[in-house]
Amino acid sequence: SPLALPERLVVATDERVLALAARDGQVLWEHSVQGARVEGLAASDGVVAISLYARGSWSENPTLDALVLGLDAQGGEELWRLPLEDDQVGGRILCGYGRLLVLPARAARPVELRDLFTGKTIARVELAVHDKAMSAAFLGGGKLILPRFFAATSPEQNQIVAFDLEDLDQGRQAWNIDIGSGQPGGADLVAILTHERAIYAVLRGQSSVKERALGGIYEINPRIGAVSSAPLATLLPEDILLGMVKGARMALASPHVFVLSEGMSKESCRIRAIHLPYGQRWRAELTAPIDEYTGGMSPALSETTVAFARRARYSSARDVTEIKLLDRANGAPRGEMTLGEGLDRDSVPLVS
């Protein structure tokens, strides 16, 4: 995915990494990675880190080069390069707080902490976490945060754990959060949402539990590992958070999320606008079945309007994609539009 930096985007192609001006798309700089493929991009503090693998099959030729490069975000000059060891191949890189973290593909291997500006090693340490938590790791509040998704059936693993970057060489947890400990039958962590420095956990109650346990969106204080005592918005097991990628961290462009729920009949549905961290802002009733809005596309926002894509089904013709426009402030209808022939909501992004 492209990296959004101040006034520019950093993108990777087959053999190049480019910085593009956010305003007009002009190429500001490019760095050739000919003969390699880009596996990961991360950036912080004016440095872009790139993990590269030489083209070819690693299983067939384990001597293929694997590197991480550090580039100056302003001009694209190479600052440092370091080879990846065998246990780091297939892992991830993270940048933040003046540090580069090289994560292993398996949690039983060491995490490598390096200085982001020089590439020099600070520490290598093994962390007592599950493989799946390592694959979802991110940085926040000066900590390495490792969420474990969809682990309600394993309460001892159903946690979010964090390690202080300053004390990472000690391998001691800074805090851990037990997910759904107060829920009947437990709850699953299905996604992490972040916006600027704020972090939110999306929990889903178990639909098999007779009590119909509620889930919700909870705010996390990354400094101390505290969770808000009440959800900013409640979620039934069948509710849909539009555009959410399950089992992942999503960095939100704006502090707004939209929840789709079943309506009073099969021919209607309900949309709730949630403004983080303040909670529900408005609710709107839509005269269309819920499954016509359940695409993976996030709603698009402008200063005054929010747009939702709907695939309308008509018996006399093929499906037609319509755009429903609502007032961003109160959810009042602002109009509709239909996409032209050959366009659909899965191929045309909504832009604000």
Side-chain angles (χ1 to χ4, degrees), residues 224-349:
I224 60 176
V227 182
S228 56
S229 58
L232 304 175
T234 58
L235 298 173
L236 290 171
E238 61 269 22
D239 286 347
I240 298 166
L241 201 60
L242 287 174
M244 181 183 72
V245 178
K246 295 181 180 180
R249 177 184 74 97
M250 293 183 60
L252 302 176
S254 72
H256 299 86
V257 294
F258 297 88
V259 179
L260 189 68
S261 305
E262 294 180 349
M264 299 297 292
S265 71
K266 293 182 179 180
E267 299 303 316
S268 67
C269 60
R270 178 180 301 129
I271 286 181
R272 289 181 286 153
I274 312 301
H275 186 187
L276 303 174
Y278 305 108
Q280 182 171 312
R281 190 165 187 176
W282 50 258
R283 183 178 69 180
E285 301 288 336
L286 302 177
T287 55
I290 189 171
D291 61 353
E292 292 189 2
Y293 285 95
T294 54
M297 186 177 292
S298 300
L301 286 85
S302 71
E303 292 184 0
T304 61
T305 307
V306 56
F308 301 90
R310 169 200 172 202
R311 175 160 293 157
R313 297 188 178 95
Y314 299 104
S315 58
S316 59
R318 67 177 188 170
D319 293 355
V320 174
T321 298
E322 297 179 346
I323 305 300
K324 182 78 170 180
L325 304 175
L326 301 180
D327 190 285
R328 175 170 168 168
N330 56 28
R334 294 180 64 92
E336 296 183 358
M337 59 184 296
T338 301
L339 296 185
E341 185 175 356
L343 303 179
D344 60 49
R345 69 177 181 188
D346 297 318
S347 64
V348 180

Side-chain angles (χ1 to χ4, degrees), residues 173-230:
Q173 290 184 12
W175 49 257
N176 70 75
I177 298 170
D178 291 322
I179 300 300
S181 57
Q183 293 273 33
D188 271 324
L189 175 67
V190 297
I192 292 286
L193 309 177
T194 59
H195 179 255
E196 297 178 346
R197 296 183 179 182
I199 302 174
Y200 307 92
V202 181
L203 306 187
R204 190 173 301 281
Q206 297 297 291
S207 57
S208 60
V209 178
K210 292 182 180 179
E211 291 87 347
R212 244 168 90 85
L214 291 174
I217 302 173
Y218 292 81
E219 186 171 12
I220 294 175
N221 182 329
R223 186 174 63 86
I224 60 176
V227 182
S228 56
S229 58

Side-chain angles (χ1 to χ4, degrees), residues 59-70:
S59 60
E60 294 175 359
N61 185 1
T63 63
L64 289 172
D65 289 335
L67 301 170
V68 177
L69 302 181

